Amino acid sequence: MPEKTASRPFSLPETALAGLGTRPFGVYVHVPFCATRCGYCDFNTYTAGELGSGASPESWLGGLERELELAAETLGAPPAADTVFVGGGTPSLLGASGLASVLDAVRRAFGLADGAEVTTESNPESTSPEFFAGIRDAGYTRVSLGMQSAARHVLAILDRVHTPGRPGAAVAEARAAGFEHVNLDVIYGTPGERVEDLQRSLDAVLSAGVDHVSAYALIVEEGTALARRVRTGELPALDDDVLAADYELIDRVLSGAGLTWYEVSNWAASEAARCRHNVGYWRGGDWWGAGPGAHSHVGGVRWWNLKHPARYAATLAEGGSPSAGHEVLTEQDRHLERVMLELRVVEGLPLAALDDAGVAEARAAAAEGLLDPSALDERGRAVLTDRGRLLADGVVRRLVA
């Protein structure tokens, strides 16, 4: 198991810093604010009522600016950020000016590499033509919109407040503001969602003309309102067979429209349309995660921040580090993560990353139709088949057993 210690503050070992800049380097910024609480969500997010007077976007931004200054000091000579991803929560609640301030803080701390990808998540109901024009002028290059579904009753079960047509309109507004790369998020498997509901959502995605789609199976997280509704029988439990059929439908429709999978849950119209920030995660890159509860990774060391926005901001205001703890990954940990992440991408995992037993399991999985036999023989890579994507977690367990 990784070594875990409380750590406020901590310094990175030279071994972690040694390769800094030779691997992709990204910055993730966590915005913990939401207008309402979605029943399925267990992210580190808070409504205004939950926060009370203990935290605000202003105190959060002040803390963020101080953390990014601390990040530059901790890394010594930090590389310019190849990618920036502002997520949450609902970053669009900050408005264009707030998001501009976030990006300015990243620029001051790290700088941006030439051609850097800069993404913000946004909820359709808190965007407008003026919002998109403002963040485009600020330097954002990519927008990810939370659509989830085009069926009104499915949105209601998920506690989403936008109307079914609003995501498509938001895409059009983002395009008009000059955004070439726009993503829509879809959730499938919601209790009560019918095949025709999912098909309607996919039709809406294609009509919107986005160049990227992320589709995630609904997960019933313990402690959420959705989990309570399922536990009491108000909503039916998820059905794995339905989830598999939904995934196959999504892949078939998106692939038929020219959006091809490049990671198990992500489809893009071209290589340029892929989310480079997420590719950095899957390829074992480095990133600094700033904001309450954010996680970071540099050179085999991972750490995470204090979760509550008020404590996060107060600690930084007092000159402390927001880190709540860290772990040093062992070689075994890093190997497991490499197999788990690289197997999920379309290029697959090189067989050279596996031991003899793992290679034997890969060949057995290919014989069972889970891995592409030609990729094994001709390119020396373990690449999931369509069926293998449905059982990816099980394939990973076999290759590292």
Side-chain angles (χ1 to χ4, degrees), residues 262-310:
Y262 70 100
E263 191 273 341
V264 168
S265 299
N266 290 274
W267 289 257
S270 65
E271 187 167 349
R274 297 179 180 183
C275 179
R276 286 162 44 198
H277 186 84
N278 287 342
V279 170
Y281 293 152
W282 302 323
R283 293 298 185 194
D286 296 325
W287 71 92
W288 191 287
H295 285 231
S296 303
H297 170 267
V298 172
V301 180
R302 181 183 293 120
W303 65 97
W304 50 93
N305 283 349
L306 298 165
K307 294 184 71 172
H308 198 279

Side-chain angles (χ1 to χ4, degrees), residues 15 36 45 70 75 148 210-211 214 222 228 234 253 305 313 320:
T15 52
T36 60
T45 60
L70 176 63
L75 297 179
Q148 318 317 354
V210 294
D211 65 347
S214 298
E222 283 301 319
R228 291 190 291 274
E234 180 186 348
V253 170
N305 283 349

Side-chain angles (χ1 to χ4, degrees), residues 219-296:
I219 298 174
V220 179
E221 302 283 3
E222 283 301 319
T224 63
L226 180 65
R228 291 190 291 274
R229 295 176 73 186
V230 170
R231 187 172 59 251
T232 61
E234 180 186 348
L235 294 173
L238 304 187
D239 185 316
D240 288 341
D241 290 337
V242 170
L243 292 174
D246 285 349
Y247 182 88
E248 290 173 333
L249 173 62
I250 291 166
D251 186 54
R252 186 166 62 251
V253 170
L254 296 182
S255 297
L259 291 154
T260 57
W261 80 282
Y262 70 100
E263 191 273 341
V264 168
S265 299
N266 290 274
W267 289 257
S270 65
E271 187 167 349
R274 297 179 180 183
C275 179
R276 286 162 44 198
H277 186 84
N278 287 342
V279 170
Y281 293 152
W282 302 323
R283 293 298 185 194
D286 296 325
W287 71 92
W288 191 287
H295 285 231
S296 303

Side-chain angles (χ1 to χ4, degrees), residues 347-369:
E347 294 83 4
L349 175 78
L351 289 183
L354 301 174
D355 58 19
D356 290 346
V359 172
E361 281 294 337
R363 297 200 178 281
E368 297 167 25

